[in-house]
């Protein structure tokens, strides 16, 4: 009976570790390369041994595609941060410009184009491209 408990405990711990590995792999997009590696080392062991070069090409191609997806995600994140910074700077500039023009800033609103609206008239204080200011 104790040997059955030890085997059961080992299987449970192994499945827990495998579950943790796949959870982490999913977060860092390595699920498919890890599945491929597990298949090559278990079920497809004979085939992988006979076609070792092809197996390594497949595995390294999957890892390369994963790294490419990381690079694309990093570039998108950098662009998103840069765009957010630009929008924050633009909003701060519009607020500063409205303050200089004497526009009351008690109820600040922006329209869908990102223009600061004059609370008295509901029209943009600063217009689109270039520097065009509304006469108050």
């Amino acid at each position: 009976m104790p040997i059955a408990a030890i085997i059961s405990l080992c299987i449970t711990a192994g499945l827990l570790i495998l579950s943790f590995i796949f959870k982490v792999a999913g977060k860092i997009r390595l699920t498919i390369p890890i599945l491929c590696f597990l298949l090559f080392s278990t079920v497809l062991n004979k085939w992988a041994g006979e076609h070792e070069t092809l197996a390594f090409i497949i595995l390294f191609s999957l890892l390369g595609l994963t790294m490419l997806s990381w690079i694309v995600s990093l570039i998108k994140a950098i662009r998103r941060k840069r765009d957010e910074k630009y929008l924050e700077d633009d909003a701060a500039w519009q607020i500063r410009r409205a303050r200089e023009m004497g526009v009351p800033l008690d109820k600040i609103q922006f329209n869908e184009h990102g223009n600061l609206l004059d609370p008295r008239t509901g029209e943009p204080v600063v217009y689109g491209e270039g520097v065009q200011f509304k006469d108050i």
Side-chain angles (χ1 to χ4, degrees):
M1 202 60 164
I3 195 86
I6 291 174
I7 291 173
S8 175
L9 185 61
C10 289
I11 290 174
T12 303
L15 290 176
L16 180 67
I17 290 170
L18 197 61
S19 171
F20 179 73
I21 288 171
F22 277 110
K23 185 169 280 209
V24 171
K27 295 288 183 185
I28 59 176
R29 299 185 198 136
L30 284 174
T31 305
I32 294 175
I34 287 178
L35 276 175
C36 181
F37 177 74
L38 288 176
L39 283 174
F40 287 167
S41 62
T42 56
V43 178
L44 299 174
N45 193 6
K46 185 176 179 181
W47 178 88
E50 293 171 358
H51 303 94
E52 186 175 340
T53 306
L54 181 60
F56 278 124
I57 288 172
I58 292 170
L59 189 59
F60 289 139
S61 296
L62 290 173
L63 289 173
L65 288 172
T66 300
M67 291 178 71
L68 185 64
S69 77
W70 292 345
I71 292 168
V72 168
S73 294
L74 180 64
I75 290 170
K76 285 182 180 180
I78 290 170
R79 285 183 181 163
R80 188 173 44 249
K81 286 289 187 184
R82 187 181 61 210
D83 290 345
E84 288 174 3
K85 175 80 169 121
Y86 170 76
L87 291 175
E88 288 175 10
D89 290 346
D90 183 54
W93 176 81
Q94 288 186 55
I95 291 170
R96 193 171 48 249
R97 187 70 186 129
R99 193 174 288 136
E100 291 171 2
M101 296 171 64
V103 175
L105 297 174
D106 54 346
K107 295 180 182 176
I108 295 176
Q109 288 185 341
F110 290 87
N111 64 8
E112 65 274 0
H113 303 292
N115 296 326
L116 178 67
L117 299 177
D118 188 338
R120 299 170 290 190
T121 63
E123 295 192 18
V125 175
V126 180
Y127 287 97
E129 298 177 2
V131 182
Q132 300 174 354
F133 302 105
K134 180 181 175 296
D135 294 325
I136 296 182

